[in-house]
Structure formats: structure tokens, C-alpha cells
Amino acid sequence: MKQTQKRIVLGVTGGVAAYKAAELTRLMIKAGWDVQVVLTQAGAAFVTPVTFQALSCNTVFTDQWDARIGNNMPHIDLSRGADAIVVAPATADLMAKVANGLCDDLLSTMIAARDCPLLVAPAMNKQMWENKPNQRNVAQLKADGVIVLGPDAGDQACGEVGMGRMLEPAAIMQALEAFFQPKLLRGKRVLITAGATFERIDAVRGITNTSSGKMGFAVARAALEAGAEVTLVAGETAQPTPFGSRRINVQSAHEMLDAVEREVAHTDIFISVAAVADYHVVNQSEHKIKKDSPTLTLELAANPDILAQVASRKYAPFCVGFAAESEKLLEHAQAKRKRKHLPLLVANLVQDAMGADDNEVILLDDAGEHRLPRAPKLEVARQLIAHLAHLYQTTLEGKQK
Ligand code: C5P
């Protein structure tokens, strides 16, 4: 089993969101995790054990008196060796039982006898969510160290709109992956730029580049997973906002600079991943330019270098740059690191990086070159965060001496 593969006991209780637990099971299996589903009687009334057995490739348990476990103690055996018990959906009833130590079925008894973390994703009607006893139970669960994921606000199956929807399976999966990452940047404030800038030519046209924002958003997610508070200044990108980050949308390099300057005083670490245009159009047109002349001349002027400006501040945060080159990667990247006075620079080839799902990078710092193998961008980002956190800590300690 790879180190990142987890063993999860997934508890499914009796709410209509139980159908989404099937998708959550599929996502866990796709990630290479081992999933043991435990259904309550009410959960099994919504989705049958057959569905979960087919998706998890594991026998599903619903009954405390199930004789299929050798020693007849499923409440102990099923969760031993698990990395976590996750209950999704978690009904008000299940949370009330756990908050009060009640054990009257397999799931609640197993939870009481667990020796691993417990995470719950509540799902219920908004009045039930707001019901005072339920709120007391949720507060008690949190005080007892249970991680409560969500709920979300929005349309509910009962037709009402409000707080109580279960988080979407993908968001629960993101939260679980984050839960298992080491908290190397706990409480640190991290500012990240990502995506492409867009320099206006006229009312409908502009100059941009092929950056997808995938790398910057992956870095944001990895920083969140490491426990950082993340502000993401995003240019043009179709990427969904990483759960838990604060996102500021911008278009041009100047707008990006303005946003960064507003935020930077409250920043411990600045990671500049955005592909910022080097020039903007001076003779922008307010209206759409008509094709009434055979040539058109655009006058371009240099944009500010956001990273260089941040790095040269008197109280600069710890600055990390990215360099995408199409040739002479190390030579150009080293020169850039020196010119911008960066403790860490991530070098990648344009051919490898732009728009792709995977990346292969070289980290450059005072100690030299560190090559990371080709991997999905989130994996590369996690390794970058681990390297950066170590370097940041060493730098802090050096300053304190
Ligand atoms: O443009 P250059 O290749 O020097 O970019 C390298 C680094 O500088 C990247 O981290 C990029 O985000 C940043 N940069 C910037 N502002 C610019 C150009 C680049 O912050 N105008």
C-alpha cells in the first residue's frame, strides 16, 4: 500500500443524501483507498448494501449481531487499523448519539469503541440543523475533537432553501485529503498569484497566454492542506476555487499588482505562480476597433514585475517565484532567482507545464538544485510546500539568531 493510500470506515446514515455516499465511495476507491462501509438500518432503507459492496469491493455491514466476523465483535474489528471513520451523511440522530455516548446500533457502538479520528458530514433539513439540541450536539462533537465537515447552504431535497445540505462528495474528498496532510504551514498567511493575465486591446479583445491556472491553484490547495490561510489572486482561469481559500479575481497585471499590494503587508509567504504579461497596451480603445484600415499598430509598454517589487520591499515576505522557460531552463532560472533576490524559485519547461495536468520541476535555492519527478500538479505542489516550509523555518530561525 502506498503511503498516501488510506483505510477508511465510511458510515452511512438514513438521510436522502445517502445517495451521494455512493459517489464518495467511488472517489475514495479511485484514490486507491480501502473503504469499509457500515450502514445504519435507516441508511440501508435509502441505498442498499449491494450498491456499496459493488463500489467498495468489500462486504458491507449493517447489523451489530452480524455473525460474519470471527469473534462476533464487528464494532471493534471493523475500525481497527483504520485511518479514520467518516460518516457521510451524518443525521441529527447519529450526531446526538455520538455527542452523548449512546451505542444502540453497529455504527454508534463502533464510533464509541474507535481508536482513530472521526469526521462527520451533516445532512438535514435547515430547521433540523438549526434546532437547538442539534446545535448543542454539534458544539459538543467539536469540543470532543470530532471534525465536522460542512454543512453547506442551498437547495434542499425537502424543497426548502438554507443551511443543512451535505457537502458535495468532491468537497468531502478534498477535506479528507487535506486532513491527512502534515500541517507544515499551520496558521501561516500565504498569498498566491495564479492563472494568466489579460491585457485589454479594446472592448472585446485582449492579449493573454496559455497558462491554465492549474499549477497555482494546486499550490493554493497544497498550502491549505498544510494548514495555511490562503489568499489567491487569480487571473484568467477556469479552475474552481480551492475549498477554504479567499479568492480575489483580477484581469490585468496592474490589477494583479494592486491586489497583491493590498494584501502583502499581512503575508508571511508570497508564491508567484501567475503567468503575468510583460507588456500592456497603451493605446487601448474603449470601443470595439473596426477593421477599416489594412494595418493596426498596438503600442505596448512594460508591466511592473510584481514578484520583484514584493521581494524588494523592506519587510518582504518569504518569496517564491516560478520560471517557465522554453530553452536553457537552468541558466535562465538561476539568473532570474538572483535578479529577483528569491530564496526559492521553481523552474519548469513551458512544454511540460503550460496547460498540462502533470508537471516536472526543479527547485532552486541557496543549497542548489532539487529535481522533483514528473507527477500530477497537486503532488508537485505538495512537495514544493514541504520544501518551502522547511526553508522558511530555517530562514526564520536564522533571522532570530
Ligand atoms: O516574467 P518572468 O519569467 O521573470 O517571471 C518569473 C516569475 O516572476 C514568476 O513567478 C512570475 O509570476 C513573476 N512575474 C511577476 N510579474 C511580472 C512578470 C513575472 O510577478 N510582470
Side-chain angles (χ1 to χ4, degrees):
M1 194 184 275
K2 272 200 300 181
Q3 211 214 331
T4 50
Q5 291 178 342
K6 299 292 173 200
R7 216 189 134 228
I8 302 293
V9 176
L10 176 61
V12 180
T13 67
V16 62
Y19 81 93
K20 293 188 182 174
E23 172 69 2
L24 180 59
T25 307
R26 206 186 64 80
L27 292 176
M28 289 180 181
I29 295 294
K30 210 169 146 199
W33 295 2
D34 181 70
V35 186
Q36 170 64 68
V37 176
V38 173
L39 279 167
T40 62
Q41 294 292 345
F46 281 93
V47 183
T48 71
V50 178
T51 302
F52 288 107
Q53 182 167 348
L55 290 170
S56 67
C57 300
N58 263 334
T59 315
V60 172
F61 289 83
T62 55
D63 183 7
Q64 202 170 351
W65 314 112
D66 196 317
R68 286 175 296 174
I69 296 266
N71 62 6
N72 226 316
M73 294 189 204
H75 67 291
I76 307 284
D77 277 27
L78 290 180
S79 76
R80 286 298 174 267
D83 293 292
I85 298 177
V86 178
V87 184
T91 53
D93 180 62
L94 182 278
M95 293 194 295
K97 282 193 221 173
V98 178
N100 292 285
L102 248 69
C103 319
D104 65 352
D105 64 1
L106 175 57
L107 183 60
S108 55
T109 311
M110 191 186 69
I111 287 173
R114 77 189 183 280
D115 62 357
C116 62
L118 172 65
L119 298 94
V120 298
M124 66 200 71
N125 160 273
K126 69 170 184 171
Q127 314 293 357
M128 271 178 97
W129 173 252
E130 283 155 16
N131 190 24
K132 282 214 170 77
N134 181 61
Q135 287 298 313
R136 274 201 305 275
N137 292 333
V138 172
Q140 186 60 53
L141 290 177
K142 289 181 179 167
D144 292 344
V146 176
I147 313 271
V148 180
L149 306 174
D152 214 347
D155 290 342
Q156 302 205 306
C158 54
E160 296 183 1
V161 180
M163 200 68 174
R165 268 171 70 94
M166 188 173 84
L167 290 186
E168 290 303 324
I172 295 177
M173 193 63 198
Q174 262 194 36
L176 294 178
E177 285 179 330
F179 175 76
F180 290 121
Q181 292 299 320
K183 302 294 167 244
L184 299 170
L185 294 178
R186 193 190 297 280
K188 298 285 172 258
R189 292 159 305 181
V190 178
L191 178 63
I192 299 168
T193 63
T197 56
F198 181 89
E199 304 296 340
R200 269 169 61 101
I201 295 174
D202 68 10
V204 290
R205 304 179 182 96
I207 301 172
T208 186
N209 58 62
T210 57
S211 166
S212 63
K214 286 179 191 165
M215 192 68 230
F217 277 56
V219 172
R221 195 169 145 192
L224 286 161
E225 289 180 347
E229 274 176 42
V230 173
T231 302
L232 186 54
V233 178
E236 299 282 303
T237 170
Q239 295 299 303
T241 309
F243 185 65
S245 65
R246 187 161 71 90
R247 176 172 178 168
I248 302 169
N249 287 327
V250 296
Q251 238 187 6
S252 66
H254 277 95
E255 279 176 35
M256 189 171 269
L257 176 66
D258 287 348
V260 165
E261 284 195 327
R262 274 196 307 275
E263 299 296 325
V264 74
H266 322 285
T267 296
D268 300 304
I269 299 167
F270 176 55
I271 313 177
S272 171
V273 198
V276 187
D278 291 327
Y279 295 91
H280 66 272
V281 181
V282 178
N283 52 340
Q284 276 177 31
S285 163
E286 192 188 333
H287 298 288
K288 187 179 171 197
I289 299 170
K290 307 307 287 175
K291 50 178 177 205
D292 47 14
S293 65
T295 61
L296 173 69
T297 304
L298 294 178
E299 188 190 344
L300 302 178
N303 273 333
D305 190 312
I306 302 167
L307 176 58
Q309 285 201 18
V310 171
S312 65
R313 287 170 73 97
K314 187 163 176 213
Y315 299 106
F318 184 89
C319 287
V320 182
F322 269 67
E325 304 292 343
S326 57
E327 53 159 8
K328 298 184 186 159
L329 176 61
L330 279 176
E331 194 183 311
H332 287 314
Q334 290 285 20
K336 204 165 283 184
R337 192 172 91 83
K338 296 230 160 60
R339 192 172 67 245
K340 300 196 190 196
H341 306 290
L342 304 175
L344 179 61
L345 186 120
V346 184
N348 49 197
L349 281 169
V350 169
Q351 303 86 296
D352 281 337
M354 296 294 248
D357 289 332
D358 293 352
N359 203 358
E360 190 177 333
V361 305
I362 307 170
L363 309 182
L364 303 176
D365 59 21
D366 287 345
E369 293 168 23
H370 314 266
R371 285 173 190 270
L372 301 186
R374 169 171 290 279
K377 284 182 171 170
L378 181 58
E379 206 38 59
V380 173
R382 285 178 181 148
Q383 293 190 43
L384 163 64
I385 291 293
H387 189 91
L388 176 166
H390 176 71
L391 212 58
Y392 174 72
Q393 199 52 39
T394 319
T395 312
L396 267 194
E397 283 161 12
K399 278 186 187 159
Q400 280 159 6
K401 271 183 197 156

